[in-house]
Amino acid sequence: MTENIQAIQYGLGPIGSAVARYVVERTDVSLVGGVDIDPDKIGKDAGEAIGLGRDLGFPVDRELGRTVERTGADVVLHTTSSTFAQFKSQIVEILEAGLDVISTAEELSFPWLAHPEDAREIDALARRAGKTVLGTGVNPGFIMDSLPLTLTSICRQVDHIDVTRVINASTRRGPFQDKIGSGMTVADFEAQMAAGKMGHVGLPESIGMAFDTLGKELTDYESGVEPVVAEEFTRTDHVAVEAGRVKGLKQVARGYSEGSEFICLTFIAALEAEDEGDTIRITGDPDLEVRLQGTNGDIATVAIVVNAIPRVIEAGPGLVTMRDLPIVTHW
């Protein structure tokens, strides 16, 4: 493996900036470039743009090509958007520049079922370029797919998988609180939901990865989102929510095989949510229940992106998922 890996951060929003700051902390990987379309960041020293508190000696570029011209980068850490319609051209651009990609784009985490044509196109381009593309994160990428799949390795039989993730959004950043509808009226939330603009992106990908990996046929999929309504006035550093307004959401996704439910994923993110944590239950032989507490979604996403770097660099070319790689660990 390369002694000191050179990384470009593509996307300098809250998560991208946090990834970049973590890279700067490390001695085994170096941040050599930053790319973003925000006019307030373009041209600024990257250190200032990511909130590091000191200069890094190179500017934020709007175009990846300009960054590549002056760096000898090995990998791009990509944190821009969730859906293929928004990120696909960026992944293509990175591969055409001859770089490996680790992305937090949820729809890239296991696109073979929901976006088979896009997946084949990205995979073919990556193979031609001799580079690797990985979509990962805490969810999808770990809590609701690769972690429960790993747990099935100690089961003789798996009849059902149930994963529940509860997030106390009061401790999360402002954009996340906005994303889950905090402060909306119920009517506004339902209108946004009807327009497909409410809900966590990635549950179909997690279910798809689990079904495919375990050799099960996904015969039906359903998902529903509902608001979590505040019973009393709730305030955070970012938003104030009157009683009767939305303070978060609950989303349940179910995957069926031959008429029977095989997987149920429940995602709850709300201000002042109780019982925060992740619970994985596997019904089979034996029955398992694993409770994980302390998972901070932002920290976990930043960590898994950077910790995946050596696995991606060592992997063969193509579009891969977390289930395709050796176990990702801290390094």
Side-chain angles (χ1 to χ4, degrees):
M1 186 172 59
T2 305
E3 189 170 310
N4 187 277
I5 297 167
Q6 311 290 296
I8 294 171
Q9 178 59 47
Y10 194 129
L12 299 176
I15 292 296
S17 293
V19 171
R21 291 193 299 271
Y22 182 43
V23 168
V24 173
E25 290 177 19
R26 311 256 321 207
T27 58
D28 39 23
V29 57
S30 297
L31 186 70
V32 297
V35 180
D36 202 277
I37 61 172
D38 184 349
D40 290 334
K41 294 178 180 177
I42 296 168
K44 280 187 177 179
D45 185 274
E48 179 184 359
I50 66 175
L52 186 63
R54 62 181 176 87
D55 287 352
L56 289 173
F58 56 86
V60 174
D61 294 314
R62 190 185 192 286
E63 303 293 338
L64 176 66
R66 296 190 63 181
T67 309
V68 172
E69 284 177 2
R70 66 167 184 269
T71 67
D74 303 296
V75 63
V76 171
L77 309 177
H78 174 265
T79 57
T80 62
S81 51
S82 301
T83 62
F84 263 95
Q86 296 174 303
F87 69 71
K88 182 180 176 181
S89 63
Q90 298 167 351
I91 301 299
V92 169
E93 177 189 20
I94 295 166
L95 290 173
E96 289 179 341
L99 298 166
D100 290 316
V101 190
I102 301 171
S103 175
T104 59
E106 289 91 339
E107 288 190 352
L108 194 62
S109 64
F110 192 85
W112 302 102
L113 293 180
H115 303 275
E117 292 184 7
D118 290 321
R120 284 192 292 269
E121 184 178 340
I122 294 295
D123 182 59
L125 180 57
R127 290 177 184 275
R128 287 197 299 272
K131 296 299 174 181
T132 306
V133 179
L134 172 70
T136 191
V138 66
N139 178 40
F142 185 70
I143 294 292
M144 290 185 164
D145 37 54
S146 62
L147 180 57
L149 284 171
T150 299
L151 292 173
T152 67
S153 66
I154 59 171
C155 295
R156 300 198 313 165
Q157 179 177 325
V158 178
D159 299 319
H160 188 268
I161 297 173
D162 183 283
V163 185
T164 299
R165 178 162 171 76
V166 179
I167 299 172
N168 175 11
S170 293
T171 63
R172 296 290 296 273
R173 52 197 163 84
F176 183 81
Q177 295 178 15
D178 294 337
K179 184 178 179 180
I180 61 173
S182 301
M184 283 186 176
T185 65
V186 172
D188 286 343
F189 182 97
E190 291 176 344
Q192 291 290 307
M193 184 179 65
K197 297 180 179 179
M198 271 294 158
H200 177 68
V201 180
L203 299 189
E205 285 69 31
S206 290
I207 285 181
M209 183 189 296
F211 267 78
D212 189 74
T213 304
L214 297 175
K216 305 281 287 187
E217 181 184 2
L218 180 62
T219 57
D220 195 16
Y221 171 84
E222 61 183 28
S223 177
V225 183
E226 62 185 57
V228 177
V229 179
E231 296 181 357
E232 58 186 25
F233 178 76
T234 304
R235 180 187 293 278
T236 73
D237 291 339
H238 307 285
V239 65
V241 180
E242 300 288 343
R245 285 186 172 247
V246 175
K247 67 172 185 175
L249 59 81
K250 176 181 179 180
Q251 183 171 355
V252 181
R254 305 177 190 274
Y256 297 84
S257 181
E258 300 177 350
S260 298
E261 181 184 291
F262 180 63
I263 294 181
C264 179
L265 304 180
T266 302
F267 178 84
I268 300 169
L271 306 183
E272 301 303 314
E274 298 179 351
D275 299 322
E276 182 176 38
D278 307 293
T279 304
I280 301 170
R281 297 183 180 90
I282 298 176
T283 304
D285 182 16
D287 293 339
L288 299 176
E289 180 171 326
V290 175
R291 174 82 172 165
L292 185 63
Q293 293 182 293
T295 308
N296 180 292
D298 291 350
I299 294 173
T301 297
V302 168
I304 203 167
V305 165
V306 176
N307 285 330
I309 290 174
R311 298 293 189 232
V312 167
I313 288 178
E314 293 165 356
L319 172 58
V320 301
T321 71
M322 288 294 287
R323 65 102 187 258
D324 301 315
L325 298 176
I327 296 173
V328 172
T329 65
H330 183 270
W331 59 291

